[in-house]
Amino acid sequence: VSITIEKRIPWGAGLAGASTDAAAVIRGLAEVWEIPPDDVGLGAVARSLGADVPFFLVGGAALYTGRGDVWARSVRSLESPVVIVKPDPPVPTAAAYAAYDRLGVVRSPSYAPLLDALEAGSAGRAAALLHNAMNAASASIVPEISDALELLEGAPGVLASLMAGSGSAVFGLGP
């Protein structure tokens, strides 16, 4: 098999470009080899490639547990506009996690209230509950992340802003 991938998601943005590419290749090969999309072997291959690859293999809005690779349940998605701002400097994933380790463990809040807000379809409640424990670590590598967050926080119609993944892209959630 020969595969050519035309990348359109910038690297170092925290937007899971490599993971989505991996999931697309798995799905494409499964189709070529007539492997059913729900075959458990596909999930095992996805997990072996990265913690978030199973999410992109299945798609949709969902809660994953473990390292982020074990599907727990589907979640209602919001019908809210999202804007993404990508500062120029990328954040290498390994550097972001090394910075996170140096800064010490940040306890993340329970996700239960966020799931309740999503199930209720409340963008306002969901926005108030957004959290990314990687923010400080990645912003220590690329200070422009803080500038982009500040820009979005002050924008009309933006309920909340947060860094995507390990950065450097940030997003603003609308009503």
Side-chain angles (χ1 to χ4, degrees):
V1 174
S2 176
I3 299 170
T4 301
I5 296 175
E6 184 178 324
K7 296 194 68 65
R8 294 198 173 142
I9 299 173
W11 78 274
L15 297 173
S19 296
T20 56
D21 290 343
V25 168
I26 293 168
R27 286 183 70 120
L29 290 175
E31 189 173 316
V32 167
W33 293 326
E34 299 178 353
I35 299 170
D38 58 351
D39 185 287
V40 294
L42 298 180
V45 170
R47 277 190 296 286
S48 76
L49 297 175
D52 57 354
V53 177
F55 171 80
F56 295 104
L57 184 63
V58 175
L63 170 66
Y64 279 73
T65 60
R67 298 180 315 137
D69 61 341
V70 180
W71 183 91
R73 69 182 192 113
S74 293
V75 177
R76 178 180 176 181
S77 61
L78 294 175
E79 298 294 325
S80 299
V82 174
V83 62
I84 298 174
V85 175
K86 166 52 178 95
D88 261 347
V91 176
T93 305
Y97 281 94
Y100 177 81
D101 289 342
R102 279 193 307 277
L103 292 175
V105 176
V106 176
R107 185 160 171 82
S108 295
S110 168
Y111 56 79
L114 178 58
L115 290 177
D116 291 343
L118 291 171
E119 290 305 323
S122 175
R125 279 183 35 216
L129 296 165
L130 292 176
H131 173 78
N132 185 339
M134 294 296 294
N135 269 11
S138 296
S140 74
I141 299 166
V142 177
E144 291 87 345
I145 292 170
S146 297
D147 297 336
L149 286 168
E150 214 174 286
L151 172 75
L152 288 176
E153 286 169 4
V158 174
L159 299 174
S161 62
L162 196 65
M163 183 179 70
S166 57
S168 67
V170 301
F171 66 91
L173 179 66

